[in-house]
Amino acid sequence: MNALSWDDRVHNYFQKNRVLVTGGAGFLGSHLCERLLERGSVVICLDNFFTGSRTNVAHLMQNPDFEVIRHDVVDPIRLEVDQIYNLACPASPVHYQHDPIKTLQTSVWGGLNMLELALQNGARILQASTSEVYGDPSVHPQPESYWGHVNPIGLRSCYDEGKRCAETLFFDYHRRKGADIRIVRIFNTYGPRMHPNDGRVVSNFIVQALRGQDLTVFGDGTQTRSFCYVDDLISAMVAVMNHEHQGEPEPFNIGNPEEHTMLDLAEMVIRLTNSSSRISFLPLPSDDPRQRRPDISAVGTKVGWKPVVDVESGLRRSIEYFRTIV
Ligand code: NAD
Ligand code: UDP
């Protein structure tokens, strides 16, 4: 309940950091809202509930410093805020390919609307970009200076090119209009509150193992990814948002450089869940990147962040969560 006195409300309005989190009811957004409230901010969670849900933020609803707005970032909105984290966008290939035109609109028009909102308020804005801007990389591991190897007309392009275009918009708003921008390129992140039907590999494997079903490895399973635990990722996002850079802004890779093949991952999940599941092989989706590992030296040197949760510990915590819901 909002049982604050008038004085408390006025204090919160003028003294506390007012933060907008778009996509705040999603997997990462809900963890971010929680962390920002713990840090003493007033948090507005904005979401159209395409892949997010009220359940993800239900435990925050009683906090008088938290509110939820149902809104689509494709439409402009007026709010008074000091910082904006722009996370609104489906992240799982299954979901972003469901309506690819809408996915592009969300990244591009959504990015534009949030940049305009940031300018109206003089607010700092952080864009949740992605390792997908590197496509199927020919440089390994990927530093921020790598321009990528992206198919512009494939099934993943609505997401990859949408996010690339959003980065372009952010930098042009900075150069032309003085927008105070931050960009993080997020590599595969996992943890509690991923949707069990999300379609991403970690949630798929854990749910399949807990249900005693075959783990579905796409292709021959030799493709690699690097998996970051959600708590580490949220620490990085907050650190980058509040980092005062020297000179021009720059995008930062965020992820855990520990790299695994999908076969390794499947075997690890079977072992950690004590499951009797086996592995079955399904066709590799088109344009599926062969390898992914972030070079995180820039964020380490300049922002002072590095991940602290190794993959096995993070998987154990995630398995505990999925045991409670499947
Ligand atoms: P998610 O699908 O759980 O969350 C996305 C949220 O955005 C959902 O709550 C969804 O309902 C909301 N949303 C989607 N379209 C919207 C719109 N038009 N208007 C308002 N809200 C909208 O995904 P996530 O894993 O939490 O990802 C969050 C952000 O981080 C995304 O921008 C994603 O591209 C980025 N990212 C995530 C990962 C990862 O591994 N989780 C990796 C790279 C980038
Ligand atoms: N993948 C898999 N089985 C699944 C889901 C995904 O083998 O049930 C593979 C997928 O082909 C890709 C990797 O796991 O090579 C990571 O897929 P995800 O969708 O999680 O993330 P992204 O491809 O966007 O990095």
Side-chain angles (χ1 to χ4, degrees), residues 30-267:
S30 63
H31 284 275
L32 179 61
C33 290
E34 197 175 302
R35 182 75 64 89
L36 293 169
L37 288 167
E38 283 164 14
R39 287 170 54 90
S41 297
V42 168
V43 177
I44 303 170
C45 161
L46 181 155
D47 208 292
N48 71 350
F49 300 112
F50 171 41
T51 53
S53 74
R54 282 179 190 278
T55 319
N56 283 341
V57 288
H59 60 298
L60 307 177
M61 293 295 195
Q62 300 302 316
N63 189 324
D65 286 340
F66 182 67
E67 66 183 288
V68 177
I69 300 175
R70 177 188 281 271
H71 182 80
D72 196 307
V73 290
V74 165
D75 299 317
I77 189 167
R78 269 186 180 274
L79 291 167
E80 291 180 356
V81 289
D82 303 305
Q83 289 186 334
I84 302 171
Y85 289 84
N86 187 36
L87 274 66
C89 187
S92 156
V94 179
H95 293 141
Y96 68 64
Q97 288 170 19
H98 169 74
D99 185 347
I101 296 169
K102 178 65 195 261
T103 299
L104 266 166
Q105 289 175 337
T106 296
S107 279
V108 180
W109 294 356
L112 202 67
N113 287 330
M114 291 308 115
L115 281 161
E116 285 294 332
L117 184 66
L119 284 185
Q120 282 159 21
N121 282 278
R124 181 172 292 176
I125 180 165
L126 177 143
Q127 167 68 357
S129 189
T130 169
S131 55
E132 301 290 334
V133 300
Y134 302 123
D136 189 8
S138 47
V139 171
H140 192 71
Q142 294 80 55
E144 289 87 349
S145 55
Y146 177 50
W147 289 355
H149 178 225
V150 179
N151 177 356
I153 56 167
L155 295 179
R156 294 173 78 104
S157 311
C158 60
Y159 183 74
D160 304 4
E161 296 291 18
K163 290 283 188 179
R164 285 169 66 93
C165 181
E167 286 200 13
T168 309
L169 270 172
F170 269 63
F171 271 88
D172 284 333
Y173 262 72
H174 167 70
R175 284 187 285 256
R176 288 299 177 95
K177 297 174 185 250
D180 185 10
I181 61 162
R182 300 289 183 275
I183 292 181
V184 288
R185 293 181 178 159
I186 303 170
F187 284 64
N188 299 61
T189 301
Y190 67 98
R193 283 190 224 132
M194 291 185 93
H195 196 280
N197 299 327
D198 183 82
R200 281 178 276 190
V201 69
V202 175
S203 44
N204 271 11
F205 284 180
I206 295 178
V207 169
Q208 289 162 342
L210 292 177
R211 290 183 175 151
Q213 299 165 344
D214 282 3
L215 272 64
T216 51
V217 168
F218 298 165
D220 61 6
T222 55
Q223 72 272 32
T224 68
R225 293 291 186 275
S226 303
F227 296 101
C228 185
Y229 188 65
V230 60
D231 289 357
D232 279 338
L233 191 281
I234 299 301
S235 300
M237 280 181 123
V238 173
V240 171
M241 173 63 110
N242 295 296
H243 170 65
E244 301 300 334
H245 48 77
Q246 311 289 321
E248 286 301 292
E250 56 187 305
F252 287 113
N253 288 338
I254 306 183
N256 187 329
E258 199 184 322
E259 184 179 1
H260 293 273
T261 66
M262 294 311 100
L263 260 183
D264 277 352
L265 181 72
E267 283 159 7

Side-chain angles (χ1 to χ4, degrees), residues 288-301:
D288 200 281
R290 283 291 314 151
Q291 54 184 4
R292 266 298 157 61
R293 172 149 60 100
D295 176 340
I296 55 167
S297 47
V299 71
T301 315

Side-chain angles (χ1 to χ4, degrees), residues 303-323:
V303 184
W305 173 85
K306 67 173 188 318
V308 294
V309 182
D310 62 88
V311 171
E312 187 158 325
S313 313
L315 283 177
R316 284 185 197 280
R317 293 189 208 175
S318 310
I319 290 165
E320 285 315 300
Y321 165 77
F322 279 104
R323 275 192 206 284

